[in-house]
Amino acid sequence: EAGVTQSPTHLIKTRGQQATLRCSPISGHTSVYWYQQALGLGLQFLLWYDEGEERNRGNFPPRFSGRQFPNYSSELNVNALELEDSALYLCASSLETGVEQYFGPGTRLTVT
Amino acid sequence: KNEVEQSPQNLTAQEGEFITINCSYSVGISALHWLQQHPGGGIVSLFMLSSGKKKHGRLIATINIQEKHSSLHITASHPRDSAVYICAALKTSYDKVIFGPGTSLSVIP
């Protein structure tokens, strides 16, 4: 069974541009979580989607947004990129809320 | 004060040693994850537990809900265990995961 997949693996953007990151959960999983791990910092919760709806978001500005599609895959959009958005963005999925999360390999975003 | 704390921050051990990493939290939780992050960023979920103890191979995780404390033990440590170990608390409201700062483990042959 395929695990959580993310694309692209690496993404290089310039300041002010927009970035789109994609995540495909494990088949049958309906919850998708996004996390940011900036250099030198721990993992920070970004967004949680379940059954197509945004359930909660962390302390990030509105230029971080996303959506979950009917097939439960998800997209994270970061608008008006800033240098400090450079980070590893991890996606995780779970069968339902409150159970074990499985992590994808991450997308490394570099903003120059 | 962070809601989830870990100790030690860094740990160096000789191959074969018994290792303990501690996690304490101050929020109400429904469960606690132990994660392993290898250089390059890949994260593997080791355990999710809400009570008692779980064992998988050389890894053992325990949690004491009353004391709000969890431990991850590695028996007969090996250089391939070198990684950052992160505990993550799933809040009681199920709406948020709070991560500890991580423990960087280096096992020397």
Side-chain angles (χ1 to χ4, degrees), chain A residues 58 85 108-109:
Chain A
D85 297 333
R108 189 164 294 282
L109 172 64

Side-chain angles (χ1 to χ4, degrees), chain B residues 50-70:
Chain B
S50 54
S51 65
K53 177 178 172 178
K54 285 190 176 180
K55 184 176 189 290
H56 184 252
R58 296 180 294 106
L59 302 177
I60 303 166
T62 63
I63 189 167
N64 184 316
I65 297 293
Q66 287 73 30
E67 294 185 4
K68 295 190 172 181
H69 181 269
S70 176

Side-chain angles (χ1 to χ4, degrees), chain A residues 43-105:
Chain A
L43 283 158
Q44 301 289 325
F45 167 72
L46 246 174
L47 289 161
W48 168 34
Y49 291 96
D50 182 58
E51 295 285 357
E53 292 191 17
E54 182 180 303
R55 301 295 185 182
N56 200 15
R57 62 183 293 127
N59 294 325
F60 284 85
R63 55 191 188 82
F64 286 84
S65 65
R67 53 182 172 166
Q68 187 178 33
F69 298 99
N71 66 355
Y72 303 114
S73 66
S74 177
E75 214 171 68
L76 172 68
N77 295 293
V78 187
N79 293 318
L81 285 165
E82 300 179 3
L83 295 177
E84 52 265 34
D85 297 333
S86 295
L88 179 69
Y89 289 85
L90 289 157
C91 167
S93 74
S94 66
L95 193 56
E96 58 188 39
T97 306
V99 300
E100 190 163 4
Q101 296 181 23
Y102 295 82
F103 285 80

